[in-house]
Amino acid sequence: MKLHVIATGSSGNCYVLEGTTSALVIEAGVSPEKVFQRVRISTRKIAGVIITHEHGDHAGFIHRWLVLGFRVYMSAGTREALRLNDSRLVDILKAWTAYSLGAFSVRPFPAVHDAAEPLSFIIDSEESGRILFATDTGRIGYSFRTGNIRHLVVEANYSDSLINDGLNRGTLFPALAKRIRENHLSLERCREFVQEHNTAALENVVLIHLSGDNADPGIFRDTIAKTAPYANVCVAVKDLVVPLDKLSM
C-alpha cells in the first residue's frame, strides 16, 4: 500500500491510497487530470473518491470527478452544501457505518469544522492494516487506542505559540485566530492524540494540512517523532509517497 500526497494545505488537498488491486482518492481539491499525471494508475483501479467536507480546497474539483464518471462518497450535509442531491454518482456516508469500496473498508466518524457535516475516516485494507485519516477538525473527540491503528494521517495545522506570536505582532487578526483554533487541529492536540495512540501497532504518522504561516515543518516533525519514537514520522508535501504496508508484529 502507498499513500500518494498530491496536494496538502489551504491551496488544495488530495491524497491517493494505492493498493495492489484498488485505489482510493481522498479529497477532491485538485483535478483528476493532475492526479493521473502524478500517479500512474489505471482509472479502473479507483474504487471511489471520499470527501471530508465541502470547502473548496477539499472539494473544489468534485464536479470534474463526477463528469468523468467516478463515484464520490460524502455525508448528506456535504452533498446538500455542494448541491449534488440529483447526482446518481454521489453516495451518502453515515458516521460509524462501514462501507466497502473495492479492497477498502471505510468507516466515517464526525469531525469538528465550520462545514455542513464534516467527516474523518477509519480506513482498513488487508495490505495496510488500519489507517486513521483526520483533517480540518478542531479536535478528535474519540479514542481509537484499542482499534489497532497502524497509520495516522492527521492534521497538524498550527501551533499555539505561532498563533500567539502573530497576535502579538498584529499580523494575525483575533477573529481569524479564533476560527483557526476552533476548526483546525493544533500541533499540541495532534501530539496528545498521537501520544494516546502510540501503541505497539503504530507504524506511520503523516502530518498533513500544515499552515503556511502558523506551522514549522521541522519543529512539528521533531515534536511528533519524540512522541512516537518507534514510528516513521513525516510531514506531507507535494509528491511525497509513503509506504503503508502492514508490517508483521
Side-chain angles (χ1 to χ4, degrees):
M1 183 70 66
K2 297 177 182 177
L3 172 69
H4 299 268
V5 178
I6 309 302
T8 185
S10 58
S11 61
N13 294 271
C14 185
Y15 312 85
V16 178
L17 286 172
E18 181 189 9
T20 303
T21 61
S22 295
L24 186 65
V25 178
I26 309 174
E27 309 287 48
V30 303
S31 70
E33 290 81 4
K34 183 174 288 188
V35 172
F36 297 130
Q37 183 181 27
R38 306 259 282 280
V39 184
R40 302 293 183 175
I41 59 175
S42 168
T43 58
R44 284 180 283 184
K45 195 175 183 179
I46 294 178
V49 182
I50 60 175
I51 304 295
T52 58
H53 65 290
E54 70 269 17
H55 291 164
D57 56 328
H58 296 261
F61 287 87
I62 194 69
H63 291 90
R64 185 64 188 152
W65 287 93
L66 291 169
V67 164
L68 294 180
F70 291 96
R71 297 208 71 84
V72 179
Y73 300 82
M74 62 187 70
S75 70
T78 300
R79 183 179 68 174
E80 179 74 25
L82 291 170
R83 300 181 180 179
L84 293 173
N85 291 325
D86 295 331
S87 176
R88 290 178 293 178
L89 290 174
V90 174
D91 290 320
I92 297 302
L93 299 177
K94 295 181 180 180
W96 308 114
T97 300
Y99 300 86
S100 294
L101 280 67
F104 300 93
S105 173
V106 176
R107 184 162 59 105
F109 63 94
V112 179
H113 197 58
D114 56 351
E117 191 183 350
L119 297 172
S120 298
F121 302 108
I122 298 291
I123 303 169
D124 287 286
S125 81
E126 287 294 329
E127 293 180 54
S128 65
R130 181 159 291 171
I131 303 165
L132 183 143
F133 181 94
T135 189
D136 284 50
T137 186
R139 63 185 181 276
I140 304 174
Y142 309 96
S143 175
F144 301 94
R145 182 175 175 83
T146 60
N148 203 34
I149 302 291
R150 291 179 178 265
H151 315 286
L152 292 173
V153 183
V154 62
E155 180 179 54
N157 183 259
Y158 68 94
S159 72
D160 286 324
S161 62
L162 289 174
I163 289 284
N164 289 334
D165 286 346
L167 288 169
N168 292 333
R169 292 195 310 268
T171 57
L172 183 63
F173 292 113
L176 178 56
K178 182 176 185 290
R179 180 188 178 274
I180 292 170
R181 282 175 159 151
E182 290 178 350
N183 292 281
H184 289 279
L185 201 67
S186 67
L187 171 64
E188 293 78 12
R189 285 180 175 170
C190 176
R191 182 187 62 78
E192 290 173 0
F193 188 78
V194 172
Q195 186 173 45
E196 181 180 1
H197 294 80
N198 183 33
T199 67
L202 186 65
E203 298 168 15
N204 289 283
V205 181
V206 184
L207 305 177
I208 61 174
H209 210 298
L210 273 68
S211 166
D213 298 322
N214 302 306
D216 184 310
I219 291 175
F220 279 32
R221 186 211 166 273
D222 290 348
T223 298
I224 300 304
K226 291 176 183 177
T227 304
Y230 299 108
N232 171 53
V233 179
C234 59
V235 172
V237 294
K238 184 179 73 172
D239 293 330
L240 176 70
V241 180
V242 184
L244 298 185
D245 293 320
K246 183 167 63 176
L247 303 178
S248 59
M249 294 180 62

